[in-house]
Amino acid sequence: AQSVTQLDSQVPVFEEAPVELRCNYSSSVSVYLFWYVQYPNQGLQLLLKYLSGSTLVKGINGFEAEFNKSQTSFHLRKPSVHISDTAEYFCAVISYSSASKIIFGSGTRLSIRP
Amino acid sequence: DGGITQSPKYLFRKEGQNVTLSCEQNLNHDAMYWYRQDPGQGLRLIYYSQIVNDFQKGDIAEGYSVSREKKESFPLTVTSAQKNPTAFYLCASRQGEDSGNTIYFGEGSWLTVV
């Protein structure tokens, strides 16, 4: 069975500092990987996705993520955060063999301190 | 603009009432989903539909019902059997496999029992 683990429920960071939000998954088949951002009282917005090819994926708002197949990880990074990055971030996985089943992580709340 | 429209944004329900949340998409996606999100929590799947006139129960389907009579529309009814319906409800649709399986979300609907 597939699963997604976001290792940190909350990550406090000072403004302009770098940040890494961790995501690990388990699956016996190949997967598509996604990161979403949710601002308060809004739906989820796609940040970036990994389908195939280069393992380093760049997304919107200066975020990037690296797919590591051997460690089954897809960590999200940003070199310098801004107050406006305060939000909830969700990692998600879809397997090649069962695209109807989307597995979301439990989310990581990123709070930026001035 | 293409997207997913959920309405209403805020809805109040009296005890014992059924209410219906609307979800319309003009992305031409076959697959659509309903999720429930409680404050500070992740997403839980209520129902999903992979094609018109077909839908499957998710992890927390009890007390909810759906229909999929048109490709564009996937309304969710919260019945009086749902004992704790106060939550944020998110509708989503998914691209086909040949387009990358990306999931797109609506802006969400808040349901409160009064």
Side-chain angles (χ1 to χ4, degrees), chain A residues 47-60:
Chain A
L47 270 179
L48 48 79
K49 60 185 176 183
Y50 172 78
L51 303 181
S52 64
S54 173
T55 57
L56 183 62
V57 180
K58 293 190 183 296
I60 62 171

Side-chain angles (χ1 to χ4, degrees), chain A residues 18-34:
Chain A
V19 69
E20 179 180 81
L21 305 184
R22 296 180 292 169
C23 174
N24 286 87
Y25 69 93
S26 65
S27 176
S28 57
V29 298
S30 296
V31 296
Y32 304 104
L33 295 154
F34 305 83

Side-chain angles (χ1 to χ4, degrees), chain A residues 32 34 36 38 41-46 49 51 88 90 92 94 96 99-102 104-107 109, chain B residues 9 33 35 37 40-43 48 50 59 88 90 94-95 97 99-107 110:
Chain A
Y32 304 104
F34 305 83
Y36 286 84
Q38 185 180 32
N41 295 326
Q42 294 186 26
L44 278 68
Q45 179 184 356
L46 180 69
K49 60 185 176 183
L51 303 181
E88 189 89 17
F90 292 93
I94 297 177
Y96 279 27
S100 63
K101 192 74 172 175
I102 308 162
F104 284 92
S106 55
R109 183 171 300 276
Chain B
K9 178 69 176 180
Y33 303 79
Y35 292 91
Q37 187 178 30
Q41 304 295 313
L43 284 71
Y48 66 101
Q50 297 197 73
D59 301 318
F88 191 52
L90 287 161
R94 179 174 57 78
Q95 282 180 323
E97 293 189 45
S99 302
N101 278 312
T102 302
I103 308 108
Y104 294 87
F105 286 84
E107 287 297 302
W110 275 106

Side-chain angles (χ1 to χ4, degrees), chain B residues 5-87:
Chain B
T5 301
Q6 289 187 239
S7 62
K9 178 69 176 180
Y10 299 96
L11 184 62
F12 297 90
R13 191 193 92 170
K14 292 182 180 179
E15 296 276 357
Q17 274 186 338
N18 293 353
V19 293
T20 297
L21 306 180
S22 170
C23 178
E24 302 279 331
Q25 55 105 352
N26 60 4
L27 300 168
N28 200 34
H29 292 168
D30 286 315
M32 296 187 73
Y33 303 79
W34 273 105
Y35 292 91
R36 170 178 171 145
Q37 187 178 30
D38 292 282
Q41 304 295 313
L43 284 71
R44 291 188 289 168
L45 181 63
I46 305 173
Y47 268 98
Y48 66 101
S49 167
Q50 297 197 73
I51 200 166
V52 174
N53 292 322
D54 184 56
F55 48 83
Q56 284 81 41
K57 293 181 179 180
D59 301 318
I60 57 164
E62 185 175 350
Y64 299 97
S65 66
V66 293
S67 63
R68 187 83 187 279
E69 298 175 2
K70 298 187 299 182
K71 188 175 188 178
E72 304 79 21
S73 180
F74 191 40
L76 173 74
T77 296
V78 184
T79 75
S80 57
Q82 171 49 240
K83 297 307 178 187
N84 186 22
T86 295

